[in-house]
Structure formats: C-alpha cells, structure tokens
Amino acid sequence: MGLLDGKIAVVTGAGSGIGRGVALGLAAAGASVVVNDYGVSVDGGEPSSGPAEAVVKEIQTRGGRAVPSAQSVATMAGGRAAIDAALKSFGDLHVLVCCAGILRERMIFNMSEEEWDAVIAVHLKGHFTVMQPATRHMREKRAGRIITFTSTAGLEGSPGQPNYSAAKEGIVGLTRSTALAMAKYGVTVNCISPTADTRMTQRLPDERRGQAMAPPEAIAPVVTFLASERAAHVTGQVIGVRGNQVTLFSHPAPLRQLTGREPWTAEALAEVYDHALGQDRLRRLDALKIPWPPQP
C-alpha cells in the first residue's frame, strides 16, 4: 500500500528536473498523475508536448497511471486545463504541486519589462492559475493538499534575479494566505524551498552551484509526505529540502520594538535607531562576500 493510493494529483512543470521527480514519486506512492509541462527551454522558449509525454510514458512503464497536459500555466486557460485534465481523466483532484518555472536573469537596472513579466507570469501567476480552480474543487470536497515552490532567491534575495526573487517571495505570501483561507475546509497548503541540481541551478556560477548539487529526486519524498494523510495537520509551512536535509523555516516576527514618548522626528529616530533597533542582517551579504556598510 502506498501513501497516496487512490489519490489524483496535478504536477506543473513536471517534464523535467524537480517536477519530473515529484511526478514519478507521487505515482510510485500510488497516485494517478496529470503531468503538466509547457515543454519550454529554461528561458521559456520553444514549447513542446514532448517532455510531458515522456514522463507520462515513464510512469506508465512502471505500472502507474498518468496523462499529459502541455498547456502553459502562465494563462488562466492553461491552469484551468491542467485541473480539468485531472477531473476528466480520473474523476477527482486531491493533490496539486506547483513546480513550473523559467528564468530570465538580469540586474534590476538592466531588466526589461518583458523579462520581468515573463518570469512573474510563469512562477507567481502560474501558481494562481491552477490554485484558483483547485481550491474551488477542494473547498467543495472539504479535502485536499497543495504544495507550492519558493526558492532561496525568494527567501534571502538574489542580486541578478529580481523578477524570480519577487515571484518566489510572492509565492510564500500566496501560500500563507491560501492556508488561512482553506484551513476550515480541511485543505493544507505548504511551500517547499528546494536546493537541487537542475537546469536552473546549472546556470549559476560554479562557486554557488557547489551548494546545489543534491539530486532533484530528493525533493519528491517530502512532497509525497505533505500530499498524504500523514500530513493532514501540517499547513502554512515553508520547508527547505537539500539532499537528506529537511529544514523548517520560521515565520517573520518582530525582532525589536521602539516606542517614543512623543511622535517621532527623523532626527530623534536617527539618534537612537542603531542601538535600539539595529538591523537583521541580510544573510546573503556575507554568502556573496558583499561588504556592508560600504567602505569610504
């Protein structure tokens, strides 16, 4: 007996990398899977149904049940089509996993509107386009599991990926909001922050790629657990996965507070700010060896 016997899942971005590993993992645990993938290159070009169909064949060869969905989740029609594929092919929907993504790296002062919009559309809007119809169905059924995907670039920032970082941090907010909205219906919503060797991380500089060499298949067991009834009590969480390491992230909370006797002036605040409040230092300043404060 698998943890997901009888369950029906939709996985976006399932044609390669982490999404492929997740689709194979859910199928191995007993789920019937809609393999959604627009079949594009890392930057979002050259769409093809080939990657989705290849993963479906792989699942079927291993004795599982799967159907392809080659629509882009950057559109409402594409997202709806992926959910409809589950309902039409398998008659229900229990699990949604959102892995689809592209990259268009550029420093913010060089980034074009098209580069910004394309990445936001696939990552952030691409979560909404499937989550909106999925939550409608799960609300009626009063059951379901949704697993979203953020990134260290979203949680900690990435200087050459402002579009990707913004989308990935936005997904965390979307996850928490949806977890709160769906809690009374018994639907859980959790977020994975993966570190793995994929087409995306292969574009990183060598010194940063060294931190990301875990295989993409290592993410699947954590997703399978969160998709199962064993995780029915877990919701609104951000969970990091790198190889054999699983990390629970904290929720943002106030560090220090400063209350004045009178309304603050800028000058009065400047006098006490450093010793009373200070800063919660950006972790990546040190990781990227960026000196701060800047030296005169």
Side-chain angles (χ1 to χ4, degrees), residues 217-242:
E217 292 79 13
I219 313 300
V222 181
V223 175
T224 300
F225 162 69
L226 290 173
S228 76
E229 294 303 316
R230 298 292 298 272
H233 59 294
V234 181
T235 198
Q237 304 305 300
V238 177
I239 299 170
V241 186
R242 183 175 74 178

Side-chain angles (χ1 to χ4, degrees), residues 6-70:
K7 301 297 184 183
I8 295 152
V10 171
V11 183
T12 72
S16 63
I18 291 172
R20 172 184 170 274
V22 167
L24 294 174
L26 297 183
S32 301
V33 182
V34 174
V35 178
N36 168 265
D37 201 288
Y38 195 37
V40 294
S41 57
V42 177
D43 65 3
E46 303 173 0
S48 166
S49 61
E53 291 169 353
V55 176
V56 166
K57 185 175 181 180
E58 195 171 353
I59 290 171
Q60 292 172 340
T61 300
R62 299 180 184 186
R65 300 173 71 209
V67 295
S69 167

Side-chain angles (χ1 to χ4, degrees), residues 108-197:
I108 189 152
F109 38 79
N110 291 325
M111 180 161 287
S112 70
E113 181 180 11
E114 191 278 331
E115 289 166 335
W116 173 270
D117 287 347
V119 170
I120 296 294
V122 176
H123 285 277
L124 183 52
K125 185 179 178 182
H127 273 64
F128 170 73
T129 64
V130 286
M131 287 173 67
Q132 189 244 35
T135 51
R136 287 180 173 177
H137 178 82
M138 292 175 178
R139 178 175 175 241
E140 290 181 4
K141 295 287 186 175
R142 302 187 72 87
R145 304 282 178 267
I146 298 174
I147 296 98
T148 65
F149 270 72
T150 185
S151 166
T152 304
L155 299 177
E156 297 186 6
S158 178
Q161 298 175 309
N163 47 5
Y164 179 69
S165 296
K168 287 304 191 183
E169 183 76 337
I171 288 164
V172 175
L174 176 61
T175 299
R176 292 182 178 132
S177 174
T178 309
L180 293 171
M182 299 302 291
K184 64 183 177 181
Y185 304 109
V187 177
T188 68
V189 190
N190 293 289
C191 192
I192 298 285
S193 178
T195 304
D197 188 27

Side-chain angles (χ1 to χ4, degrees), residues 235-289:
T235 198
Q237 304 305 300
V238 177
I239 299 170
V241 186
R242 183 175 74 178
N244 296 334
Q245 185 181 76
V246 181
T247 302
L248 179 67
F249 284 85
S250 64
H251 296 296
L255 287 177
R256 291 173 286 277
Q257 218 165 40
L258 179 60
T259 304
R261 294 182 179 180
E262 303 291 339
W264 286 104
T265 66
E267 292 78 8
L269 188 59
E271 289 296 322
V272 299
Y273 183 92
D274 285 345
H275 70 263
L277 291 179
Q279 299 185 57
D280 183 18
R281 187 175 177 84
L282 283 171
R283 287 158 45 100
R284 282 207 165 183
L285 284 172
D286 299 322
L288 297 174
K289 297 180 172 59

